[in-house]
Amino acid sequence: MFSYRHAFHAGNHADVLKHTVLIAALQHLTEKDAALTVLDTHAGAGLYRLDGDYASTSGEAADGIVRLFAPTAPTLTPALQAYVDMVRAFNQGNTLRVYPGSPFITQRLLRDHDKLKLFELHPTDLRALAGNVAQLEAGRQVAVLHEDGFEGIKKFLPPPARRALVLCDPSYEIKSDYAKVLDVAADSLKRFATGTYAFWYPIIPRPEAHDLPRRLKTLATKAGKSWLHATLTVKNSKLTENAAGDVKRPGLPASGMFLINPPFTLKAALKTALPQMVELLAQDKHATHTLESGG
């Protein structure tokens, strides 16, 4: 079973991709005066200590955000620089102890009249999320909901101002999550055809993981909607065996972001950012990226 709980993977290469895309999308969507509603289906705890028990257990941030913070890092592309600046805003100086999850990145970019709905079912993460959000003193702008985000978002679509971004990034610990993502995409487009929908997924040796972007593409195309698909691979996905014959799992080798109705500015931003992600985050010679769009 593939296990992906936010706290164990905070700041890894998948977060670099997901949050670079999220920031670039929100920067564009908040240029219009009309209110924006953001729905985060699997919010997690919101904030993570990179020196805490969870993140330090895996140490994945060392091959993710930490590399972008390094004094030796080159001049970053605008999209990656915006991402690094965002993470830096939650830390002091060049120290990197706190990693903001999607809820806190989003809230930082929203205006007073925008709304953020955060869904979380995991009891530990829910308590942490509620406590972290309370410190924002954001009032009614941010709502924390102890609900299944797959179902919970339905009552908020369409939003009052007819502008919405849905971020859907489940753990995929349960195989049925892949089918639920497709159901959410289809249902959401029926409820609110002009919303922007962003789906993160792991690229792992499992048929469902490879079918998901293809089926999302078919769904968007049939609905007559534009789409964008970006992937980042940092290493080989094959199992390796050491001299003692022990099989070693490689960890997450790659991930993707699939957007329906993406901001028109996003592809150009990622065209320069993705090659730099490969350059800075590569863990072996298999590192690569893809970027495609349609509609």
Side-chain angles (χ1 to χ4, degrees):
M1 183 180 287
F2 178 72
S3 175
Y4 199 98
R5 196 168 151 223
H6 288 86
F8 288 101
H9 310 281
N12 71 352
H13 61 86
D15 270 357
V16 174
L17 173 64
K18 175 170 64 178
H19 291 146
T20 298
V21 170
L22 177 64
I23 290 166
L26 281 169
Q27 284 176 332
H28 177 80
L29 291 169
T30 51
E31 284 178 1
K32 282 189 180 174
D33 290 338
L36 177 71
T37 296
V38 180
L39 307 172
D40 192 334
T41 63
H42 296 76
L47 285 173
Y48 305 97
R49 287 297 299 254
L50 293 179
D51 54 356
D53 290 344
Y54 291 128
S56 58
T57 296
S58 63
E60 291 181 23
D63 288 322
I65 182 62
V66 172
R67 292 195 186 187
L68 304 188
F69 259 69
T72 53
T75 301
L76 298 174
T77 65
L80 271 178
Q81 188 62 55
Y83 164 66
V84 168
D85 289 346
M86 174 63 73
V87 177
R88 185 170 276 128
F90 287 85
N91 291 274
Q92 294 184 331
N94 282 322
T95 59
L96 186 54
R97 290 187 182 146
V98 175
Y99 188 84
S102 305
F104 275 69
I105 288 173
T106 301
Q107 195 276 334
R108 188 65 67 104
L109 291 168
L110 294 186
R111 292 92 34 106
D112 289 344
H113 61 298
D114 297 325
K115 299 287 185 194
L116 175 58
K117 312 292 184 187
L118 304 172
F119 298 88
E120 182 54 52
L121 266 181
H122 195 288
T124 306
D125 285 349
L126 178 75
R127 281 194 298 275
L129 179 64
N132 288 331
V133 167
Q135 294 178 44
L136 286 172
E137 297 183 350
R140 296 175 64 188
Q141 182 194 46
V142 183
V144 176
L145 301 149
H146 187 201
E147 295 178 41
D148 176 1
F150 287 130
E151 290 295 321
I153 65 168
K154 293 178 180 178
K155 60 178 171 283
F156 296 108
L157 295 174
R162 313 293 295 186
R163 299 185 70 236
L165 167 66
V166 174
L167 174 64
C168 185
D169 62 335
S171 66
Y172 296 94
E173 286 180 330
I174 307 165
K175 208 190 287 188
S176 59
D177 278 358
Y178 294 93
K180 286 182 178 178
V181 166
L182 288 164
D183 289 344
V184 161
D187 182 75
S188 297
L189 280 172
K190 283 177 190 163
R191 290 172 189 271
F192 185 47
T194 56
T196 295
Y197 300 97
F199 303 95
W200 175 87
Y201 70 99
I203 299 176
I204 52 175
R206 176 182 267 183
E208 296 87 355
H210 294 276
D211 285 346
L212 182 61
R214 180 178 55 77
R215 295 178 71 179
L216 284 170
K217 198 185 302 181
T218 301
L219 181 70
T221 304
K222 280 186 178 173
K225 300 299 175 187
S226 60
W227 56 270
L228 183 145
H229 181 213
T231 71
L232 173 66
T233 300
V234 298
K235 60 184 174 182
N236 189 359
S237 64
K238 291 189 176 134
L239 299 177
T240 55
E241 195 174 301
N242 64 16
D246 297 321
V247 173
K248 184 186 172 191
R249 292 190 174 276
L252 181 66
S255 66
M257 285 290 283
F258 194 101
L259 289 91
I260 299 175
N261 294 329
F264 74 91
T265 51
L266 187 57
K267 187 174 183 181
L270 292 178
K271 203 166 185 179
T272 54
L274 281 166
Q276 193 169 48
M277 286 185 206
V278 172
E279 176 194 336
L280 296 173
L281 303 179
Q283 294 181 35
D284 65 25
K285 65 182 182 182
H286 298 279
T288 187
H289 76 278
T290 65
L291 180 63
E292 53 177 348
S293 61

